[in-house]
Amino acid sequence: MKQKSLMKRITGSREALLAIVLIVLFVIVTAISPSFLTPKSLMDMLKNNAVMMVMALGMLCVMLVGGIDISIMSTLALSGMAIGMMLKYDVIANPVLAFVIAIVIGIACGFVVGLVISRADVPPIIATMGFMYIYRAMGYLISNGGEWASAAALGSFKDFATTNLLGINCVIWVIVVCYAFFFWFMKWTRTGRKIYAVGSNAEAAEVSGINVKNIKLLVYVIMGLLSGLGGALQVSVYASAMPDMQYGGEMDVIAACVIGGVSMNGGRGTVLGALLGSLILATIARALPLIPFFNQLWLNTIKGVIILAVVIINIVLQRAADRNALKGREM
């Protein structure tokens, strides 16, 4: 009975299933290339996917209230390009100040997006599509029509991505701090619980005294903040700032959340799920180049298959859970 109960608990938990999938992936990739499971290789994988992993936390918040944001990589490009040009032309030199400026720009972008969605009731997909083009164009304007900042122009700012603290790369510390904070924020704060409440039933949340419009505004501000942080990380990790950086990368962020079990309808999803979804995508991206006949088409194809499979599994599991809950109420 205990074994059955344990198996039921595992198969009924999205996070447990995702953890099993991740372990299986690690075993397969290590069998293909033993060098994969080394500290340096794993740290490189995390560093190269830091932008997606950090921004998945913001997308989690947005999707929990039933929203979506496809303007995030344009915000990233705008904030990253802004500090890149400031560093290039010696407007600023302090790396900490560069991070702060990128984050402030991201917050401003997220605030405008959230204002349009929460106050004007514009559908999120339409609003963020419009801002996706606007912010990307602003990034090009800042770059003087396509100019970019190279490693030599970034000074000490690029050193952040190559510096270790207690034997761990600083970029990875950013990931750790972000996930630790959001785990606490979503689970143990009133605001975190309000985000879940709005996503589960906005009308009921309004009746219970929650300002739904403010919560919707807040999640887009959070998304903007993390997009700005992502812009700074992008520039530091790749030691360059270009107006077209991370073009199309918003799909990976959304995919990480969907794979992690975050519902597109809102109300369901966890920080742990977003982490596991991000790690699965990061592992696949790291593993495929190790296969002799690999090309980029395979990566995109596999991502698409995984997203479809996970969405179908999530729907099946949710329907099963709803049926069980209904039977429990009837009994």
Side-chain angles (χ1 to χ4, degrees):
M1 291 291 288
K2 286 184 178 179
Q3 288 180 344
K4 287 183 179 180
S5 176
L6 179 61
M7 184 58 67
K8 187 176 180 180
R9 191 175 299 175
I10 291 173
T11 55
S13 167
R14 288 185 181 87
E15 287 80 5
L17 287 172
L18 288 169
I20 292 170
V21 169
L22 185 60
I23 291 169
V24 170
L25 274 175
F26 266 62
V27 171
I28 293 172
V29 178
T30 304
I32 296 171
S33 175
S35 63
F36 170 77
L37 205 61
T38 61
K40 183 181 184 306
S41 177
L42 293 175
M43 282 200 288
D44 285 344
M45 182 184 79
L46 291 173
K47 187 172 80 169
N48 291 335
N49 290 278
V51 170
M52 175 193 67
M53 295 182 71
V54 168
M55 292 175 69
L57 288 166
M59 191 61 71
L60 165 68
C61 296
V62 169
M63 290 174 68
L64 280 174
V65 299
I68 196 76
D69 191 345
I70 60 172
S71 69
I72 54 174
M73 290 308 175
S74 296
T75 300
L76 174 148
L78 174 58
S79 58
M81 201 65 233
I83 62 171
M85 298 304 283
M86 287 181 183
L87 289 164
K88 180 176 181 177
Y89 291 106
D90 297 322
V91 176
I92 59 173
N94 190 313
V96 175
L97 180 59
F99 267 95
V100 171
I101 291 172
I103 290 170
V104 169
I105 291 172
I107 290 172
C109 291
F111 180 79
V112 174
V113 171
L115 209 60
V116 170
I117 291 170
S118 65
R119 265 52 182 186
D121 290 326
V122 178
I125 186 68
I126 302 299
T128 58
M129 185 185 297
F131 282 109
M132 176 179 70
Y133 292 115
I134 292 169
Y135 292 155
R136 185 68 70 172
M138 290 173 67
Y140 273 98
L141 287 173
I142 288 174
S143 70
N144 296 323
E147 187 179 332
W148 62 294
S150 63
L154 297 175
S156 62
F157 181 76
K158 65 181 182 296
D159 297 337
F160 177 82
T162 57
T163 303
N164 289 349
L165 178 64
L166 302 177
I168 298 174
N169 188 275
C170 287
V171 174
I172 298 173
W173 276 116
V174 172
I175 299 172
V176 171
V177 170
C178 285
Y179 272 88
F181 173 81
F182 273 87
F183 185 81
W184 165 79
F185 175 73
M186 299 303 295
K187 196 173 181 65
W188 282 296
T189 68
R190 289 181 63 187
T191 305
R193 290 193 292 271
K194 285 178 181 179
I195 291 172
Y196 278 102
V198 170
S200 298
N201 191 324
E203 292 180 0
E206 192 80 59
V207 171
S208 66
I210 296 173
N211 191 318
V212 173
K213 289 184 177 181
N214 282 352
I215 292 297
K216 287 184 177 180
L217 175 60
L218 174 65
V219 297
Y220 284 98
V221 170
I222 292 172
M223 184 72 259
L225 184 155
L226 293 174
S227 297
L229 175 59
L233 290 175
Q234 173 79 16
V235 172
S236 183
V237 169
Y238 294 99
S240 63
M242 296 174 284
D244 62 345
M245 52 188 168
Q246 284 288 348
Y247 194 87
E250 58 276 350
M251 293 300 111
D252 283 344
V253 177
I254 295 169
C257 290
V258 172
I259 291 170
V262 184
S263 173
M264 296 292 288
N265 296 320
R268 295 190 183 95
T270 64
V271 171
L272 178 57
L275 173 61
L276 291 169
S278 299
L279 287 173
I280 288 171
L281 274 186
T283 304
I284 292 169
R286 180 75 172 175
L288 288 182
L290 301 174
I291 300 172
F293 54 85
F294 165 80
N295 66 50
Q296 189 65 30
L297 178 62
W298 280 109
L299 177 58
N300 294 331
T301 302
I302 290 172
K303 281 181 185 177
V305 170
I306 289 173
I307 292 167
L308 288 173
V310 169
V311 169
I312 292 169
I313 291 169
N314 283 343
I315 291 171
V316 171
L317 288 175
Q318 192 54 53
R319 286 178 178 173
D322 290 342
R323 282 196 299 270
N324 292 334
L326 183 61
K327 286 179 182 178
R329 286 195 295 269
E330 288 176 351
M331 292 176 64

